[in-house]
């Protein structure tokens, strides 16, 4: 194969080459004008081809280079280079009842500079994840993850994003750091896309006892949407206090009860909302999203150009 890394100088150097169940593969390097480049050579029906190329310029670290690649028409063979540190593999992403990410990792075995493993079809949905144990952030990148997730290389529309600010909500600021609060719900070592058919939701507000309220949804691939409610007092960071699932086909997609009798957060984009307690009279709750009082037992949802429907406020949310 001629000039595998174009616009570089000198001959390419093979850093690793070997056989896999998908065919022969290689990892090569070549010097350039101001640095170097490394690239994966993968097997295809038409013969070997360059899969991905990464520039290597100081202060590029080995940790930033794609150490792994998914091979084969179904992308079901995972090949990982041995960079001199231990690597762990998880083959499945699951969710706990409260929506937190659940992964089980096992040591990945290397032999003579690399290792491979059958991981099942990964085309368009990557379920595997790699990490460096006892290292932060511990990322082990799959170099062709984007091509595996988007094999047609076409522009994909972004999900619709509903952002609502409830009455009394504080002005957003730098203190609204949600990294720690959302960490258990995020698959940091996986590679995912968002389903463009499923909207995203952000709701900001304040609780009756004066805490800042932030509600966010999280969604990976074609998995269900999860919703997390976070609270913070004063200048403190947000903490997750409740979570649950979202059903965008339901008349009331989002319904999450807050602790300490702070109410129930409901959301139904573009709909008018009302609430009542027991068989009492209906109270207006605005449109799109609302924090209903803890005493509310029923919510009425009136979509545009449709008759109103009612739903219970008493579905239980999972504590974090």
């Amino acid at each position: 194969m001629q000039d595998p890394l174009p616009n570089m100088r000198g001959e390419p150097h093979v850093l690793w080459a070997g056989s896999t169940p998908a065919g022969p593969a290689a990892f090569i390097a070549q010097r350039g004008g101001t640095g170097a480049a490394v690239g994966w050579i993968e097997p295809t029906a038409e013969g070997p081809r360059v899969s991905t190329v990464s520039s290597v310029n100081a202060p590029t670290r080995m940790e930033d280079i794609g150490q792994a690649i998914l091979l084969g028409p179904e992308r079901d063979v995972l090949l990982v280079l041995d960079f001199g540190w231990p690597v762990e593999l998880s083959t499945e992403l699951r969710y706990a009842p409260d929506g937190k990410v659940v992964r089980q990792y096992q040591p990945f075995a290397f032999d003579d500079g690399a290792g491979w493993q059958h991981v099942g079809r990964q085309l368009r949905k990557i379920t595997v994840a790699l990490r460096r144990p006892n290292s932060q952030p511990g990322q082990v990148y799959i170099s062709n993850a984007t091509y595996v997730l988007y094999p047609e290389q076409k522009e994909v529309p972004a999900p619709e994003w509903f952002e609502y600010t409830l009455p009394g909500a504080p002005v957003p600021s730098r203190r609204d750091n949600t990294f720690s609060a959302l960490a258990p719900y995020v698959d940091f070592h996986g590679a995912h896309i968002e389903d463009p058919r499923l909207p995203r939701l952000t709701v900001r507000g304040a609780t009756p006892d004066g805490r800042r309220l932030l509600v966010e949804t999280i969604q990976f691939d074609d998995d269900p949407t999860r919703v997390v409610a976070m609270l913070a007092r004063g200048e403190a960071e947000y903490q997750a206090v409740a979570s649950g699932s979202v059903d965008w086909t339901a008349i009331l997609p989002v319904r999450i009860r807050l602790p300490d009798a702070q109410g129930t957060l409901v959301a139904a984009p573009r709909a008018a909302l009302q609430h009542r307690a027991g068989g009492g009279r209906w109270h207006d709750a605005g449109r799109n999203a609302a924090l209903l009082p803890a005493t509310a037992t029923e919510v009425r949802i009136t979509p545009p150009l449709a008759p109103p429907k009612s739903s219970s406020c008493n579905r239980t949310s999972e504590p974090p």
Side-chain angles (χ1 to χ4, degrees), residues 135-146:
S135 176
Q136 293 295 332
Q139 296 293 120
V140 176
Y141 295 103
I142 298 175
S143 64
N144 62 339
T146 300

Side-chain angles (χ1 to χ4, degrees), residues 18-296:
S19 298
T20 76
F27 189 70
I28 62 175
Q30 195 169 0
R31 298 186 64 178
T34 58
V38 293
W40 280 97
I41 307 298
E42 68 169 325
T44 71
E46 292 76 32
R49 74 172 182 189
V50 177
S51 174
T52 58
V53 176
S54 302
S55 61
V56 182
N57 300 301
T60 302
R61 304 176 305 163
M62 290 293 288
E63 292 91 336
D64 300 326
I65 297 174
Q67 186 178 349
I69 187 171
L70 286 163
L71 301 175
E74 298 296 308
R75 302 300 183 182
D76 57 352
V77 175
L78 176 66
L79 175 61
V80 185
L81 292 180
D82 185 356
F83 278 3
W85 50 65
V87 172
E88 293 181 338
L89 167 67
S90 169
T91 59
E92 182 184 16
L93 169 64
R94 296 185 294 107
Y95 302 104
D98 60 3
K100 293 177 181 176
V101 164
V102 177
R103 278 198 179 275
Q104 293 182 341
Y105 286 88
Q106 299 294 332
F108 192 90
F110 294 109
D111 181 22
D112 196 22
W116 60 263
Q117 186 167 324
H118 285 289
V119 291
R121 175 187 167 97
Q122 302 293 306
L123 189 64
R124 295 186 177 86
K125 182 178 181 178
I126 298 176
T127 61
V128 299
L130 295 163
R131 72 178 185 184
R132 294 177 58 191
N134 304 316
S135 176
Q136 293 295 332
Q139 296 293 120
V140 176
Y141 295 103
I142 298 175
S143 64
N144 62 339
T146 300
Y147 301 100
V148 174
L149 293 169
Y150 300 101
E152 289 85 11
Q153 296 298 295
K154 295 181 180 178
E155 185 174 351
V156 178
E160 188 171 11
W161 194 346
F162 298 113
E163 294 186 85
Y164 303 125
T165 301
L166 304 182
V171 177
S173 68
R174 292 182 179 179
R175 65 183 178 179
D176 293 344
N177 186 339
T178 61
F179 181 85
S180 297
L182 292 179
Y185 304 89
V186 177
D187 186 28
F188 285 108
H189 300 106
H192 303 284
I193 60 176
E194 291 181 306
D195 190 332
R197 301 167 298 177
L198 300 177
R200 295 181 62 184
L201 174 72
T202 299
V203 181
R204 297 180 183 274
T207 58
D209 65 1
R211 281 180 282 180
R212 307 188 328 267
L213 167 66
L214 180 61
V215 175
E216 295 272 10
T217 57
I218 303 173
Q219 194 275 325
F220 298 144
D221 306 311
D222 56 358
D223 295 343
T225 301
R226 296 161 292 143
V227 59
V228 182
M230 296 164 280
L231 294 178
R233 191 181 299 278
E235 298 297 319
E237 290 187 357
Y238 278 111
Q239 293 185 348
V241 296
S243 58
S245 59
V246 177
D247 181 0
W248 288 113
T249 65
I251 187 67
L252 186 63
V254 177
R255 174 175 39 192
I256 186 167
R257 183 181 291 269
L258 303 182
D260 306 325
Q262 295 304 297
T264 300
L265 189 288
V266 298
R270 305 187 181 96
L273 302 169
Q274 296 175 295
H275 69 87
R276 68 177 179 180
R281 68 182 183 90
W282 290 101
H283 299 272
D284 180 58
R287 303 186 66 86
N288 304 314
L291 179 58
L292 307 183
T295 54

